[in-house]
Amino acid sequence: MHFYPTERIALFIDGANLYATAKSLGFDIDYKRLLGLFRQKGQLVRALYYTALAEEQEYSSIRPLIDWLDYNGFSMVTKPTKEFTDATGRRKVKGNMDIELTVDAMRLADALDHIVIFSGDGDFRSLVAALQQKGKRVSVISTLQTQPPMVADELRRQADHFIDLADLEDQVGRAQSGRTPPREGARSYAGRGSSQSPRDVGYFGDDDLAEEEV
């Protein structure tokens, strides 16, 4: 990865996209390790995590993740999902966070040197170009190691640096040794004490909200 120790860095994480990318590669993200990795690379100013929530549900499976991230160095940006029925009568859920991520990146750009976008969505190409015009370096993290690739070719080409998430597995992946693998769909905690407060547990789950967009 191409970082300088004096750079002011911010991470912009498209939660649903990162989850889908890691899942396609066969590993889970350890968000504590991810944050630690980029704190070593430069002056980490912000780590923003974007996700939509189904607020009408009494319990959301990603709520423990949201709470843990919020207490452990991430800035959470959320909004309610929207449900609708398409022309064929199929129920769909929309939870796109592209606008929120784009607005925040442009708003914070003047206080940053290097923007890291965790997404392969080609819609972010224009954002990357606009940040570069402001003199900022932009790295994109996604993967080419799946069929089809999770990153849009136009986004990868526009970025100053492309980092394949597969190459970061040893640094940000969740360790499996000594743990019982969670059941499919279950959330996994690795407690550091008897308390179950989000401040006192290490949460290493993922955003499992699958977005179906119009």
Side-chain angles (χ1 to χ4, degrees), residues 15-16 19 49-54 57 59-69 76 78-79 81 185 187 189 203 205-210:
Y19 167 72
Y49 187 99
Y50 298 81
T51 190
L53 297 173
Q57 297 179 359
Y59 174 77
S60 171
S61 60
I62 69 169
R63 179 60 68 178
L65 170 63
I66 300 305
D67 291 341
W68 189 90
L69 293 174
M76 306 308 301
T78 65
K79 72 177 181 183
T81 57
R187 308 270 53 92
Y189 286 93
Y203 186 81
D206 296 297
D207 181 346
D208 64 354
L209 174 66

Side-chain angles (χ1 to χ4, degrees), residues 17-27 142-143 145-150 165:
N17 194 286
L18 176 59
Y19 167 72
T21 302
K23 185 177 180 180
S24 72
L25 291 171
F27 70 93
S142 185
T143 189
Q145 304 304 313
T146 56
Q147 291 297 328
M150 296 292 288
L165 185 63

Side-chain angles (χ1 to χ4, degrees), residues 1 3 11 34-42 44 118 141:
M1 292 191 290
F3 291 86
L11 313 181
L34 185 149
L35 202 63
L37 173 64
F38 286 93
R39 282 174 171 163
Q40 295 172 6
K41 297 297 180 183
L44 185 61
F118 287 76
I141 297 182

